Amino acid sequence: MAVSLRIELFPAELERAVAFYTGGLGFTVEKDDRATGTPYVAVRRDGVRIGLLGSPGTVGDRLPPFGVEIVLEVDDIVAERERIVAAGIPLLDDLQRRVWGLIDFRLLDPDGYFLRFTERANAHD
């Protein structure tokens, strides 16, 4: 049985979040319901889909949780870092080889969601 993952985020400013994920991180808009009573945009990059809900209702129920890290695996970690830095996105933690053997870097999205870009586990095979 196949499984997939879709993440739903609840940004304070929908337009800012869409610009960040599409302009800075290379996602494309897959679904755009900004003109509805419940503004929503889904962005996709390869096998990753992130839904951005513009009016989440009770904000207190949907604040960014502590201890969550969204991990995006890429084929070329150095090229990914260069593209993100060139887009003007500040890094929280620059390229490092971790004790578990992979190289990664970290950043925050405009609403404080913690993103880690890492090389694929089989990148050196």
Side-chain angles (χ1 to χ4, degrees):
M1 195 176 331
V3 69
S4 61
L5 176 67
R6 182 176 78 200
I7 299 170
E8 300 286 329
L9 301 179
F10 308 98
E13 295 177 30
L14 182 59
E15 296 304 321
R16 179 181 70 178
V18 171
F20 177 82
Y21 283 94
T22 59
L25 300 187
F27 283 74
T28 58
V29 172
E30 180 177 81
K31 180 177 183 179
D32 190 341
D33 289 339
R34 283 180 262 199
T36 68
T38 306
Y40 177 85
V41 176
V43 295
R44 178 177 292 278
R45 181 169 167 195
D46 303 318
V48 178
R49 185 174 192 256
I50 300 175
L52 303 166
L53 182 60
S55 59
T58 307
V59 176
D61 294 337
R62 297 183 179 185
L63 291 175
F66 292 104
V68 172
E69 179 177 65
I70 300 168
V71 181
L72 301 165
E73 293 181 325
V74 297
D75 292 323
D76 187 339
I77 191 70
V78 173
E80 187 70 24
R81 181 221 177 264
E82 290 173 359
R83 191 183 61 70
I84 287 172
V85 169
I89 297 173
L91 302 181
L92 186 64
D93 189 15
D94 209 343
L95 285 174
Q96 292 186 36
R97 180 169 300 281
R98 304 297 172 175
V99 296
W100 52 87
L102 298 178
I103 298 172
D104 63 29
F105 63 91
R106 295 173 169 100
L107 56 99
L108 297 175
D109 88 347
D111 289 283
Y113 289 102
F114 195 70
L115 304 174
R116 175 167 51 105
F117 283 82
T118 188
E119 64 183 348
R120 293 191 195 284
N122 60 357
H124 301 293
D125 292 349

